[in-house]
Each structure stands twice: as structure tokens, then as C-alpha cells.
Amino acid sequence: MERVPVLKIGDILLVSIQIDMEDQVALQLQEDLADKIVATGTHGVIIDISALDIVDSFVGRTLATIASVSRVLDAETVVVGMRPAVAITLVELGLSLPGIRTALNVELGIAMIGTRDLSGLLDDEDEDEPDQAAVTAP
Amino acid sequence: MSLSPDEASRFAHLLSSKAEPLAARWAELVAAGLRGRLSSAELRRQTSELQRAFQQAFDAGATDLTSEAAAELRAQLDELSTNRARQGFTATETAISVYAFKEATLEILGSVDDATTLRDYVAFSGFVDRAALFTFDSYVRVRESLIADQAEQLLELSTPVVKLWEGVVAVPLVGTLDSARAQVVMERLLQTLVDTGSPYAIIDITGVPAVDTQVAQHILKTVVAARLMGADCIISGIRPQIAQTIVALGIEFGDIATKASLADALRYVISQNKRAGR
């Protein structure tokens, strides 16, 4: 069975789906991704589906599950690059994929996760500074 | 009812011997019907060409309009009705251009006193009738293709997607939004989002005369599809009456941002952009 590779880039896991998403592939990806998030401790997952012609209800649900699992593991999932035809089909089917964040392309997806991390870092610094001041003062 | 070969040859003879006066009279009759919208020289050229085509068809032994020998005649008739249809003449005016041939021939024949000539003329008349019907068919075909072309052009013209700002595209909708147009708008907007990588789209409905549940449904579908792809849609240009209709119909736009004017929508998008730090 074919597998979808999961790549670690900086603090982000990038999954680019280039093959037909059969049910087994989707389930395997769900497991692999959960393992990898725990192993690497990343906080962002980007799933690129720009090569997918067909997204059926099962794949849609799997994507939602992946997003939920990632959220439990403190990683944010962004699905990027959905084709117009796929989006139209999903809408016609009445699947609006609630709970999944989306972006137009990988770049905007990274920016989406990046802003969150950046704001988190800034908050940390705000908290750190008084401590450091307290340590260096005496 | 088709012509016998004898009748065809007799008519071929008649047409060639009386070619000049026949074509002239025919052109006069057509001109009367068209009330001077085509020059008499132009009509004269057309009638003599058609007459030659009829004559050739009869010479070649055409007993029916569908036969091989009448191919040239069919092409001529086709050209005539195509021109008439494009120039905006009515179907009647086009058919008369052919029917007048019968009248002209009868006048040239003079008084019909023997039974043979009468029978000949009736057969010939049937042939011309079929020619006129053929003209009518091609007239309708040309007009229909014209209408189809125009409908397509309208579809193309009326749904532009414009770039309004860095990362912001807008669709100014003009005219009634039916299913076919809504589909075109949706596809074009989504494709533009992908091509330009714009995370915001503004759908401006200032030019939409009425919003009913179906139109709202189309707009909502577009917004949801854009969201699935990762872009945010704002609906703008909602006129007071339309806002009242929307509420009266119980249409829910949910958490989709709606603004009164395009300017408001753009201001909103830019402020959102700043907040996101892009």
C-alpha cells in the first residue's frame, strides 16, 4: 500500500498528498501523523491537497478527524490548496468541513500558523522579562 | 409532390428564355415587400443569381429540392436567408423573397389556358414552396445560433473578477443571477482566488435587481466554497429594500460579513489584514 510522506520543516509538519486518497491511505496517514506530532513535538500541520481531484465524504471526515487529533496534541492543522472544482463539489454535497482551517496555498498556510506561534512567543517574552529583571537586579 | 423530369426541363427552358424580364419582375415584387431596405440593384443581383440556380437545378434534372442536382440551389438559398437573418429582416420578409418567384413566373407565363401548362405550374409551385420552407429553416437556424452566441457573450461580459487591493478581489454582480450565471461566477471567482492567492473576496450585489431565496442560496454556496479553499468572502452593496426582503424571507447569512457599500467592505478587509499582521 502506498503511503503519504510526512515532512518536518522547521516547526511545521508538511503533508503533500500526491496520490489518490483511498480509505486505507487516509487512515494510515491519520496514524502516521499522530505518531509524528508526538515524536517531533511540532505545533503546526499543513496538509496540501492541491493535487487531489476528488475529495469524497470519507476523506473529508478523515481530514476533520486529523484536525481534531492534532488539536488534542496541541498542533494546529491547516488544509491548503483545495481546488475550485473540489470546493464546489463539497458544497453541492453539503459538506462544509466544519472544524478545519483552510488556506489558499502552502505559503498562506505557513503564515497562518506562523502568526499564532509568533503571538505565543511574544506573550512568553512579556512574561520572561520581569523574571530576568528580578534575577539580574541584585 | 415532386416535379417530373419533363416538367423540369420545360421550366428550365422557360427560365432561360425569359431570364431577363423574370428576374426584373421578381426583384420588383421583393422590393415592394421589403419597403426599400435593400437597394434595387442589390435585389436584382440576388434574384438573377437565384434564378440561375433554379435554372441549373432544373437543367440538371432536379425533381426534388433534396436531390443531388439541387445542391447549388440549396447553397444559394442558405446564403440568402443567412444574410437576411443577419440584416434583421423578419421570417416573412425572407420567405417572400422566394415566394415572389411564383408570382413573377405566373405573370410571365401570361394567361394559362391549357391544362398542361396549369399542371406544370402547380408542380413548379410546389417546388418553390419547398424552397421557401428550406429558406425558413435556415433562417431559424441562423437566428438561433445568433441568440446562443449572444447569451454566451452576455455570460462572459457580465461576470468580471477584479483585483481591488493586494490580496483582495471583488466580483461586481450585475443583472439577474440564475443558476447558470451563478455557476459561472462561482467557478471564475474560485479560480481567481487560486491564481492570485488572494485570501479575501468581496461579492458586490449592487447591480442585482432582486434577491430571492434562490439567489441567496447561490451566493451562500459561493461563500462556503471560498471558505473551504481558505478565503474569506464579504457581501457588499446591499440596498435597503433588499435588506428588508432578505429579512422578510428569513434568509440567514450566518457569520458571513455583510456591508452596505463596497467601500465599507474594503475598509473592513484592510483592517482585518492589519490585525492578522499581513
Side-chain angles (χ1 to χ4, degrees):
Chain A
M1 188 184 69
E2 286 181 289
R3 270 190 170 185
V4 180
V6 180
L7 315 169
K8 182 175 183 295
I9 301 172
D11 195 30
I12 287 169
L13 288 181
L14 178 64
V15 183
S16 182
I17 300 172
Q18 312 270 348
I19 54 171
D20 282 342
M21 275 294 261
E22 283 158 20
D23 295 359
Q24 276 305 312
V25 179
L27 289 173
Q28 187 65 49
L29 173 64
Q30 189 182 321
E31 277 180 34
D32 288 354
L33 204 55
D35 290 347
K36 199 91 171 194
I37 291 172
V38 173
T40 57
T42 51
H43 296 289
V45 177
I46 289 179
I47 302 175
D48 175 35
I49 58 168
S50 58
L52 278 190
D53 280 327
I54 302 162
V55 173
D56 57 20
S57 53
F58 185 80
V59 174
R61 214 182 69 208
T62 312
L63 288 176
T65 314
I66 289 175
S68 304
V69 170
S70 309
R71 203 171 300 127
V72 172
L73 297 170
D74 192 26
E76 191 171 3
T77 308
V78 182
V79 174
V80 303
M82 187 185 290
R83 290 192 187 183
V86 172
I88 292 172
T89 317
L90 285 179
V91 172
E92 296 293 339
L93 287 174
L95 299 169
S96 58
L97 304 185
I100 296 182
R101 297 188 67 189
T102 50
L104 283 171
N105 50 43
V106 176
E107 205 174 354
L108 290 172
I110 291 174
M112 200 179 250
I113 290 175
T115 50
R116 191 195 83 140
D117 282 0
L118 203 64
S119 60
L121 275 175
L122 287 175
D123 287 345
D124 287 347
E125 275 171 12
D126 286 345
E127 282 167 14
D128 287 345
E129 267 169 356
D131 288 353
Q132 279 173 348
V135 171
T136 48
Chain B
M1 187 172 65
S2 50
L3 253 62
S4 71
D6 286 350
E7 287 165 348
S9 75
R10 274 203 293 280
F11 264 101
H13 178 69
L14 175 75
L15 294 186
S16 62
S17 62
K18 297 272 177 59
E20 271 303 299
L22 198 53
R25 183 64 194 138
W26 187 3
E28 267 174 42
L29 287 169
V30 175
L34 298 184
R35 291 189 302 276
R37 270 184 288 165
L38 280 179
S39 71
S40 54
E42 170 83 5
L43 280 176
R44 189 59 206 280
R45 194 183 53 74
Q46 285 177 359
T47 50
S48 29
E49 268 177 18
L50 268 182
Q51 198 204 334
R52 246 197 311 283
F54 268 107
Q55 189 188 322
Q56 274 166 7
F58 289 141
D59 264 337
T63 53
D64 198 76
L65 192 64
T66 50
S67 64
E68 188 61 36
E72 171 67 22
L73 176 61
R74 284 201 302 273
Q76 288 267 0
L77 290 172
D78 204 36
E79 195 193 325
L80 175 87
S81 43
T82 305
N83 286 336
R84 288 281 200 278
R86 287 199 192 285
Q87 286 159 354
F89 288 98
T90 64
T92 313
E93 284 164 341
T94 309
I96 275 185
S97 303
V98 179
Y99 279 129
F101 188 33
K102 290 203 296 190
E103 217 173 319
T105 316
L106 190 62
E107 282 177 25
I108 297 295
L109 275 175
S111 53
V112 182
D113 38 19
D114 63 305
T116 323
T117 320
L118 186 65
R119 205 168 291 128
D120 278 6
Y121 181 72
V122 169
F124 166 75
S125 170
F127 188 87
V128 176
D129 283 348
R130 274 192 298 280
L133 281 178
F134 178 82
T135 320
F136 189 73
D137 270 351
S138 34
Y139 175 88
V140 170
R141 202 170 49 243
V142 172
R143 285 302 270 260
E144 263 167 13
S145 74
L146 271 180
I147 292 169
D149 284 354
Q150 281 168 355
E152 200 173 308
Q153 279 172 7
L154 207 64
L155 217 55
E156 296 277 312
L157 280 177
S158 57
T159 50
V161 180
V162 292
K163 182 178 171 182
L164 212 57
W165 204 266
E166 205 52 59
V168 186
V169 293
V171 213
L173 290 180
V174 177
T176 323
L177 204 63
D178 56 11
S179 299
R181 270 197 67 202
Q183 189 72 21
V184 173
V185 170
M186 189 197 271
E187 279 169 16
R188 196 161 305 174
L189 173 61
L190 298 185
Q191 193 55 51
T192 314
L193 288 177
V194 174
D195 294 346
T196 61
S198 310
Y200 290 101
I202 300 173
I203 300 175
D204 187 81
I205 58 168
T206 313
V208 179
V211 173
D212 54 14
T213 43
Q214 207 182 354
V215 171
Q217 190 67 27
H218 289 317
I219 296 177
L220 283 177
K221 270 187 189 172
T222 311
V223 174
V224 175
R227 276 205 181 156
L228 275 178
M229 291 172 54
D232 241 341
C233 275
I234 296 99
I235 300 168
S236 78
I238 302 171
R239 280 175 283 124
Q241 306 96 305
I242 295 215
Q244 291 183 32
T245 322
I246 288 172
V247 173
L249 287 173
I251 299 166
E252 283 286 338
F253 278 122
D255 55 346
I256 300 163
T258 52
K259 301 285 163 195
S261 70
L262 187 59
D264 278 349
L266 185 58
R267 194 174 297 133
Y268 169 78
V269 169
I270 292 172
S271 72
Q272 287 287 97
N273 244 344
K274 268 196 195 132
R275 196 179 306 165
R278 291 199 202 119

